[in-house]
Amino acid sequence: MEKNYQKICGIYVSDWHLTAMLLPYIENTIEKGEHLNTILEKNISYNMQELLTRLKISDRKKEEIMKIGWESKKIIKYGNIKEYMEKITKENNKIIVLIEGTKERIECINKNIDRWIKKSEKKLKSKEIKIINCYDVSEFNKDLNGILSYHDKIINTSGIHEISDIYVGYDKKEA
């Protein structure tokens, strides 16, 4: 499952920055016919709606982006995560889950997703899973290496990259 399972981190400074950072990736995901799922602590639907009104993209694409669900979801317990993940894996071969929240909340949700993946490994062999964890920069202060070492790649406004491409000199083995 390891090669089909990827953890990506994003670091943002405000809710507006979060929406602006994610929008190019979301547009690309929709163009490919892939589905994005969210587990958000904050409700960022106003920010997303407002940002979309200022951009020149089709109304159809704006609707699709808003259908993703930018409201807060309080699911965190294993049973809820299991139910959520089983529902979205039935519908798609490529699973992309965007998680936003405090460091502790993200870690808890990720542990429950990891646990579910381990228990469901046989069912997931043909699935590709991407977990995108979005952290508020003020939340983790000086523990950037701790966050980065837990992830395979990083997302910013220009897409998904190797961590060492964004943080020159970063070496996961050293972290």
Side-chain angles (χ1 to χ4, degrees):
M1 184 74 219
E2 287 284 322
K3 62 185 171 189
N4 296 341
Y5 182 35
Q6 197 174 59
K7 287 193 179 176
I8 301 157
C9 68
I11 299 163
Y12 65 94
V13 295
S14 70
D15 294 351
W16 287 107
H17 179 233
L18 175 64
T19 54
M21 174 182 73
L22 293 172
L23 196 55
Y25 177 76
I26 294 163
E27 266 193 278
N28 190 28
T29 300
I30 288 171
E31 284 173 13
K32 291 179 183 176
E34 299 169 351
H35 299 277
L36 180 75
N37 306 279
T38 61
I39 303 175
L40 307 174
E41 186 167 19
K42 298 176 185 175
N43 181 345
I44 59 170
S45 46
Y46 171 80
N47 301 61
M48 189 60 75
Q49 183 70 47
E50 188 65 26
L51 184 60
L52 289 173
T53 62
R54 298 167 190 247
L55 298 175
K56 293 184 180 185
I57 59 176
S58 73
D59 289 342
R60 184 192 61 76
K61 198 177 281 185
K62 287 178 184 179
E63 278 180 34
E64 286 184 51
I65 291 169
M66 288 310 296
K67 274 192 228 172
I68 289 170
W70 301 105
E71 300 81 22
S72 174
K73 288 187 182 80
K74 300 296 180 199
I75 62 173
I76 195 166
K77 295 179 183 173
Y78 176 72
N80 296 341
I81 294 292
K82 177 184 174 205
E83 184 181 310
Y84 183 77
M85 294 300 290
E86 285 178 358
K87 180 181 180 240
I88 63 177
T89 54
K90 280 181 188 173
E91 299 168 1
N92 306 294
N93 280 331
K94 190 168 191 175
I95 296 94
I96 305 167
V97 180
L98 173 73
I99 302 169
E100 174 277 328
T102 63
K103 184 176 181 240
E104 292 77 24
R105 184 173 189 268
I106 290 171
E107 286 173 359
C108 183
I109 291 169
N110 275 255
K111 281 180 189 174
N112 285 327
I113 289 173
D114 291 344
R115 183 175 159 202
W116 174 78
I117 286 173
K118 212 171 242 182
K119 289 182 176 189
S120 307
E121 202 164 349
K122 288 180 184 174
K123 292 190 290 188
L124 299 173
K125 284 207 187 281
S126 64
K127 308 276 184 182
E128 184 181 330
I129 300 173
K130 282 185 187 176
I131 304 296
I132 303 173
N133 296 311
C134 295
Y135 298 87
D136 185 331
V137 71
S138 66
E139 172 73 22
F140 59 84
N141 297 329
K142 297 175 183 160
D143 190 27
L144 180 60
N145 277 344
I147 299 284
L148 296 176
S149 66
Y150 183 68
H151 296 85
D152 305 305
K153 297 195 179 207
I154 192 164
I155 188 171
N156 64 19
T157 52
S158 63
I160 295 176
H161 305 277
E162 295 296 327
I163 295 170
S164 58
D165 292 345
I166 303 300
Y167 292 98
V168 179
Y170 173 79
D171 185 359
K172 190 170 187 162
K173 292 174 193 146
E174 287 179 23

